Amino acid sequence: MLQLSDIKLAIIGLGYVGLPLAVEFGKQREVLGFDINEHRINTLREGRDETLEVEDDDLAAARHLRYTTNPEELAACNVYIVTVPTPIDEYKRPDLTPLRLASETLGRVLKRGDIVIYESTVYPGATEDDCVPVLERESGLKFNVDFYAGYSPERINPGDKEHRVTNIRKVTSGSTPEVAELVDQLYRQIITAGTHKAESIRVAEAAKVIENTQRDLNIALINELAVIFNRMGIDTEAVLKAAGTKWNFLPFRPGLVGGHCIGVDPYYLTHKAQAIGHHPEIILAGRRLNDSMGQYVVGQLVKAMVKRRIQVHGARVLVMGLTFKENCPDLRNTRVVDVVRELREHDVLVDVFDPWVDAAEAQREYGITPIDEPAAGEYDAIIITVAHDDFKALGHEAIRALGKPAHVLYDLKYLLEPHEADLRL
């Protein structure tokens, strides 16, 4: 059985989750960071993180961290932390392809005594039922005899400079009590907020997947309330502020629900629930409501334009923001694309403006090429879809100036004062 001092660590996947983890470990111990994206590795070697999650100074401080795209180099390690994406496909089914490919890669270098720790969000049972068999097949080794597994769910919040990997409490687990303790000791080296050792890998997997399912359902409730209050002519934010004066009222806000967690994780849980014969009505109802918000927003905008006698067909609309949340370049599962697609269904000419995004990535992922700068006086309608600080700094007058003399300004994010916008969610 490995001891803490024996560990030779590798991080598999250097994205929003893997890189901050590798950097913190790399400040204290030798770490090999592996990614199949050669461009990503080259920029990290140059001391730059294009996701903007890790500052240049922190990258430089991780002096024990080195990078590679060569899977053969992984053979020199004995503990592997897997942080690859776990998306959903076009039918909203879990797509474990990146996880299986990473497991295949590791299976080819796995040795007796090695430990593979997964951080990717999955449904309960995926580590032992889906990943471990791949490791066994590729390595020819036997689970919990020749090699072991752990699970420690990621809790990274992209763009959040306050809640970082080190100060977010970490859930840990292992496939045997001894491995669970070693995994916990390993993470305690960098997690200042402390750890919580779960009773099993499945408990840790379930804990992760319900964290964002709970948030998804809370937002779905607020989205439905916003629809109701809009019909009643009541300002939703005013209601939420008033209700928020009670100490135990939860401060959720309505909006588009995207990202790599909240808009995805519930489908992993519902997939597993259906596989064991249970139809999860409440969770799926919340998902349906949140997934329909883009259509609702465009419907509200079109009604407002018609009331002002602004011709919808051929109108020019500016969408301000494409990322899934404010002040970060993360485009994963952004639901702003629903608004863009729905507008195009109305034969509207759409310009998307977002100073945070990489235009090539937006084109590659969604077929949307953001404009460099919107021109003044050009738009029949403007929708603020992401609350970037850049947009807030503009102020309502500068944003209004982008519209034609008769236009509609729709503030989805409560970025402006109530009287400064024509529509709010």
Side-chain angles (χ1 to χ4, degrees), residues 181-422:
E181 178 58 29
L182 182 61
V183 170
D184 198 66
Q185 289 177 14
L186 175 63
Y187 280 106
R188 286 207 305 265
Q189 288 192 318
I190 64 166
I191 306 297
T192 58
T195 59
H196 174 88
K197 187 166 59 174
E199 288 80 355
S200 68
I201 286 176
R202 291 183 182 228
V203 167
E205 290 169 328
K208 168 58 181 177
V209 82
I210 71 164
E211 289 175 12
N212 290 313
T213 299
Q214 183 186 67
R215 285 179 55 77
D216 191 44
L217 285 170
N218 276 305
I219 298 171
L221 171 62
I222 301 301
N223 274 335
E224 187 160 50
L225 292 174
V227 172
I228 294 169
F229 294 146
N230 283 343
R231 282 181 174 269
M232 299 174 70
I234 300 173
D235 184 86
T236 302
E237 187 190 24
V239 174
L240 295 176
K241 282 182 176 179
T245 59
K246 190 172 185 227
W247 75 91
N248 60 354
F249 185 81
L250 301 177
F252 288 94
R253 289 294 183 269
L256 305 172
V257 185
H260 68 298
C261 286
I262 300 178
V264 172
D265 295 359
Y267 287 119
Y268 274 76
L269 184 57
T270 58
H271 169 83
K272 188 64 175 181
Q274 290 167 332
I276 60 173
H278 176 73
H279 181 70
E281 296 183 17
I282 294 175
I283 298 172
L284 286 175
R287 278 280 78 230
R288 285 192 297 271
L289 197 148
N290 284 339
D291 280 345
S292 71
M293 289 307 292
Q295 184 178 20
Y296 174 77
V297 164
V298 173
Q300 291 292 99
L301 179 69
V302 167
K303 287 178 184 177
M305 292 173 69
V306 170
K307 285 181 179 178
R308 296 195 176 194
R309 290 181 165 75
I310 299 172
Q311 183 171 318
V312 176
H313 178 81
R316 290 193 66 185
V317 174
L318 176 65
V319 173
M320 297 183 67
L322 183 59
T323 60
F324 90 86
K325 64 178 294 187
E326 66 277 3
N327 304 324
C328 80
D330 197 345
L331 289 173
R332 289 175 295 174
N333 195 41
T334 173
R335 297 322 330 147
V336 177
V337 297
D338 297 341
V339 173
V340 174
R341 289 167 183 162
E342 191 69 21
L343 285 169
R344 288 174 175 171
E345 287 290 316
H346 288 273
D347 293 322
V348 167
L349 303 175
V350 183
D351 283 345
V352 177
F353 173 57
D354 193 324
W356 280 86
V357 307
D358 179 87
E361 183 184 0
Q363 176 60 42
R364 182 173 61 252
E365 294 296 324
Y366 301 110
I368 296 172
T369 301
I371 61 174
D372 293 330
E373 197 73 37
E378 291 291 323
Y379 298 100
D380 297 288
I382 301 164
I383 312 179
I384 303 173
T385 50
V386 184
H388 290 315
D389 287 345
D390 308 62
F391 298 157
K392 189 171 186 178
L394 283 175
H396 83 282
E397 290 184 0
I399 293 173
R400 282 283 191 189
L402 301 173
K404 294 177 180 177
H407 68 272
V408 176
L409 174 57
Y410 195 159
D411 181 10
L412 291 189
K413 302 300 295 184
Y414 303 151
L415 197 72
L416 308 176
E417 294 298 320
H419 66 279
E420 294 174 340
D422 302 309

Side-chain angles (χ1 to χ4, degrees), residues 38-187:
E38 191 169 341
H39 173 75
R40 175 69 167 159
I41 292 297
N42 288 337
T43 56
L44 291 174
R45 284 172 175 162
E46 293 168 1
R48 295 182 292 112
D49 171 24
E50 292 183 337
T51 69
L52 306 181
E53 282 301 296
V54 179
E55 301 290 340
D56 293 352
D57 290 346
D58 275 328
L59 273 180
R63 51 194 181 88
H64 302 297
L65 171 61
R66 65 184 185 88
Y67 309 100
T68 186
T69 58
N70 182 4
E72 294 180 3
E73 292 189 45
L74 295 170
C77 301
N78 53 23
V79 173
Y80 308 92
I81 299 179
V82 180
T83 62
V84 298
T86 42
I88 52 176
D89 64 18
E90 59 181 313
Y91 303 108
K92 303 188 187 304
R93 299 175 304 194
D95 180 5
L96 296 180
T97 302
L99 208 55
R100 291 195 181 106
L101 291 174
S103 298
E104 287 178 3
T105 298
L106 290 178
R108 298 184 189 113
V109 299
L110 212 58
K111 307 171 297 301
R112 282 181 173 81
D114 286 0
I115 301 172
V116 182
I117 305 165
Y118 292 91
E119 287 211 2
S120 308
T121 301
V122 291
Y123 45 75
T127 297
E128 291 157 302
D129 297 343
D130 295 273
C131 299
V132 164
V134 176
L135 295 172
E136 287 186 315
R137 185 187 71 230
E138 295 295 325
S139 67
L141 301 176
K142 188 171 178 59
F143 178 51
N144 274 348
V145 175
D146 300 314
F147 74 92
Y148 306 90
Y151 185 78
S152 181
E154 61 90 2
R155 284 174 163 171
I156 291 293
N157 187 24
D160 189 337
K161 300 305 181 185
E162 179 182 353
H163 301 98
R164 311 302 294 164
V165 64
T166 56
N167 61 21
I168 301 172
R169 196 172 182 192
K170 200 86 163 74
V171 174
T172 66
S173 64
S175 56
T176 70
E178 296 78 17
V179 170
E181 178 58 29
L182 182 61
V183 170
D184 198 66
Q185 289 177 14
L186 175 63
Y187 280 106

Side-chain angles (χ1 to χ4, degrees), residues 11-23 40 83-84 119 156:
I11 309 293
I12 315 303
L14 297 175
Y16 284 89
V17 175
L19 181 64
L21 194 68
V23 165
R40 175 69 167 159
T83 62
V84 298
E119 287 211 2
I156 291 293

